[in-house]
Amino acid sequence: MNLETKRCCITEQADVLVVGGGLAGVAAAVTAARNGANVMLVEREGCLGGMATIGLVNPFMPYCVWVGSWKQDLAQPVNAGWFTELLEALDAEGGLGDGRQTFDEEVLKWVLDRMCRDAGVRVLFHTVMTDVERVGDEIRLVTLFGKSGTMTVKATCFVDATGDADIVAMADCPFEIGRLADGKSQPMTMCFRISGIDMLKFDKDRDGEALNKLYKSFREQGLLHNPREDVLIFNHMSEGVLHFNSTRVLGKSATDAWDLSEAEMEGREQVFELHRFLRENISGFENSRVLMSAVHIGIRESRRIVGDVQVTAEDLLACRRFPDAIARGTYPIDIHNPDGTGTTLRPIPYGNWYTLPFRALVPKGMKNLIIAGKPISATHEAHSSTRIMPICACVGEAAGAAASLCVSQDVSMQTMPIDVLQSMITANGGLI
């Protein structure tokens, strides 16, 4: 047996295994490690941050109490704890911009690396999960594949931070996809950046209305094929650069490899079609170029777990306070039409917020598996609010705290001491 062959027979052990290195996964891993657990974090790409880095999803959506139409009070955060720590770390390194929402994803990658290293999290990049071994109501081990070959990891507790509930699906736990009527999910978006814009000629606040009027006219004439109803532009931290969240890929499933591949290509087609429209018709874009598009298309919705409780739109709009609350949210119900043009927005009442229950993080009946991030047990409508990164970060922190309790107190997700868990979250500045 040569050296290369030996490297392909690896068994690892951890107290907590986190699969997925987005904000929720990092929050879970760092929190569990800080509470004494031996934590391993596995990520398929070469950096942490998930949609915030590889997906170019920027800025952070509002995470404070609403005081008016699209106006939040930064003095009244709703999402805090580890997420606040992240904001402060970004700010300290010059990586936080407009309204403490715009961020530099390169600084974010670096900050997340340091957080994991400082907490003692073992991070493994360029590695994918290939199998899950489930015995009864427990996960026993996960099989991974990467440059070192095949690896099996045994752990006391497993955190599914894949964003698509991949562990849940591989373990044959029940899940839902899309809206109840037909299973269709919200469309995907390829985010991108344009550089070389003459900002003296173009101001997105001043000229945005005229741009969208012309965009609508071109769509009606069949000159643009993007089904999105408007061009959504955000500032960026680099001079002469604007960020676009303006493509819309319909009818593709994020859990189907062929669909996902087609979505990536269709997204890039829309990127360059939209840039051509801007360069040829909008003052200030004459000498612009597509600076970059996301490495991974943005996914709003895929699998959602089935838990002992399912969060509904009515829960959110009524600002329900669950007894086992582990996080808050205040982002509106925001459904991008799965069929084409249009976006449905239903705001959370001003000055208020809803909570999310611990039970929505646990796949029904599973003792040592918990969700970190957007695939919590929620309806299609509720998920459209709970999916944003600040909320996912808080859900991840709660998942990490719960995972550490599974190790330190030898409890299962069904016997979790909720009061202890909640105390851990609030002790770190979290809001429940």
Side-chain angles (χ1 to χ4, degrees):
M1 183 180 287
N2 61 32
L3 243 140
E4 283 298 318
T5 306
K6 287 181 181 178
R7 291 177 64 204
C8 293
C9 306
I10 302 169
T11 300
E12 288 281 349
Q13 190 84 32
D15 293 331
V16 177
L17 175 66
V18 181
V19 181
L23 295 190
V26 175
V30 169
T31 300
R34 287 175 177 173
N35 284 290
N38 178 327
V39 181
M40 183 173 175
L41 172 60
V42 178
E43 167 55 42
R44 66 187 175 190
E45 304 294 343
C47 68
L48 300 171
M51 286 293 104
T53 52
I54 64 169
L56 291 189
V57 176
N58 202 324
F60 295 126
M61 288 294 99
Y63 52 85
C64 298
V65 166
W66 295 100
V67 292
S69 180
W70 289 106
K71 184 179 180 182
Q72 58 173 339
D73 181 1
L74 290 176
Q76 298 186 69
V78 170
N79 301 119
W82 180 86
F83 180 67
T84 295
E85 183 182 343
L86 177 64
L87 294 176
E88 291 172 350
L90 283 169
D91 199 18
E93 300 298 346
L96 194 60
D98 289 352
R100 294 178 66 82
Q101 291 179 258
T102 302
F103 59 90
D104 184 325
E105 60 276 348
E106 294 304 321
V107 176
L108 178 61
K109 294 175 189 177
W110 174 40
V111 164
L112 295 174
D113 282 346
R114 290 196 308 182
M115 282 183 158
C116 285
R117 284 182 171 179
D118 290 347
V121 176
R122 293 184 294 152
V123 178
L124 187 62
F125 288 132
H126 303 296
T127 302
V128 297
M129 178 177 61
T130 60
D131 199 9
V132 172
E133 182 180 309
R134 172 184 172 179
V135 179
D137 49 15
E138 291 187 314
I139 305 295
R140 289 291 175 86
L141 60 84
V142 163
T143 303
L144 309 172
F145 183 79
K147 291 298 183 182
S148 299
T150 300
M151 177 186 299
T152 59
V153 183
K154 297 179 180 180
T156 301
C157 187
F158 296 82
V159 179
D160 188 335
T162 61
D164 298 314
D166 288 339
I167 297 181
V168 168
M170 287 186 179
D172 291 324
C173 300
F175 59 83
E176 296 180 350
I177 296 181
R179 59 191 181 190
L180 187 61
D182 54 17
K184 289 184 179 180
S185 295
Q186 291 199 64
M188 303 182 207
T189 289
M190 177 68 74
C191 290
F192 66 101
R193 307 269 164 78
I194 294 178
S195 63
I197 302 167
D198 187 336
M199 304 304 284
L200 294 177
K201 289 184 178 180
F202 180 81
D203 180 277
K204 74 177 183 65
D205 297 319
R206 180 192 67 212
D207 304 321
E209 185 176 346
L211 186 161
N212 273 304
K213 185 176 180 181
L214 184 63
Y215 170 82
K216 182 179 180 181
S217 173
F218 269 56
R219 281 193 66 253
E220 289 173 347
Q221 296 175 65
L223 300 175
L224 290 171
H225 303 97
N226 186 342
R228 187 183 169 96
E229 64 275 9
D230 60 0
V231 180
L232 183 60
I233 307 174
F234 294 100
N235 292 329
H236 190 256
M237 297 186 69
S238 301
E239 186 175 351
V241 175
L242 288 174
H243 174 82
F244 290 77
N245 184 329
S246 297
T247 64
R248 179 168 289 184
V249 179
L250 303 173
K252 305 298 182 185
S253 170
T255 62
D256 181 282
W258 291 108
D259 270 10
L260 194 55
S261 300
E262 290 172 5
E264 299 277 8
M265 291 188 283
E266 185 176 332
R268 284 188 281 273
E269 286 286 346
Q270 291 185 17
V271 165
F272 283 92
E273 179 188 68
L274 184 53
H275 177 244
R276 188 180 306 112
F277 160 75
L278 294 167
R279 190 183 61 228
E280 294 176 356
N281 297 281
I282 305 299
S283 179
F285 284 84
E286 295 88 348
N287 298 309
S288 67
R289 296 185 64 84
V290 173
L291 175 65
M292 63 189 305
S293 59
V295 173
H296 193 300
I297 195 166
I299 298 171
R300 290 186 177 85
E301 182 180 17
S302 58
R303 300 184 187 99
R304 304 185 307 277
I305 70 165
V306 175
D308 284 334
V309 64
Q310 185 181 56
V311 179
T312 68
E314 291 69 30
D315 291 329
L316 308 191
L317 295 171
C319 298
R320 184 172 176 184
R321 308 298 203 254
F322 287 94
D324 57 339
I326 47 79
R328 293 180 180 181
T330 192
Y331 188 67
I333 290 172
D334 175 15
I335 304 174
H336 294 242
N337 186 2
D339 295 317
T341 302
T343 301
T344 299
L345 286 169
R346 299 173 68 188
I348 304 304
Y350 295 160
N352 216 331
W353 62 85
Y354 58 79
T355 65
L356 295 175
F358 173 75
R359 289 164 292 163
L361 279 59
V362 181
K364 200 173 187 65
M366 295 301 293
K367 288 183 176 180
N368 68 340
L369 175 61
I370 190 167
I371 286 289
K374 66 185 180 186
I376 64 171
S377 182
T379 63
H380 165 77
E381 294 77 15
H383 171 273
S384 72
S385 168
T386 63
R387 64 186 167 84
I388 67 164
M389 293 186 294
I391 297 174
C392 286
C394 293
V395 169
E397 181 175 7
S404 71
L405 285 174
C406 282
V407 175
S408 65
Q409 296 198 12
D410 192 26
V411 296
S412 73
M413 295 303 166
Q414 283 69 40
T415 59
M416 182 64 54
I418 297 299
D419 57 339
V420 176
L421 175 62
Q422 291 174 327
S423 295
M424 292 172 68
I425 293 168
T426 56
N428 193 48
L431 301 169
I432 58 175

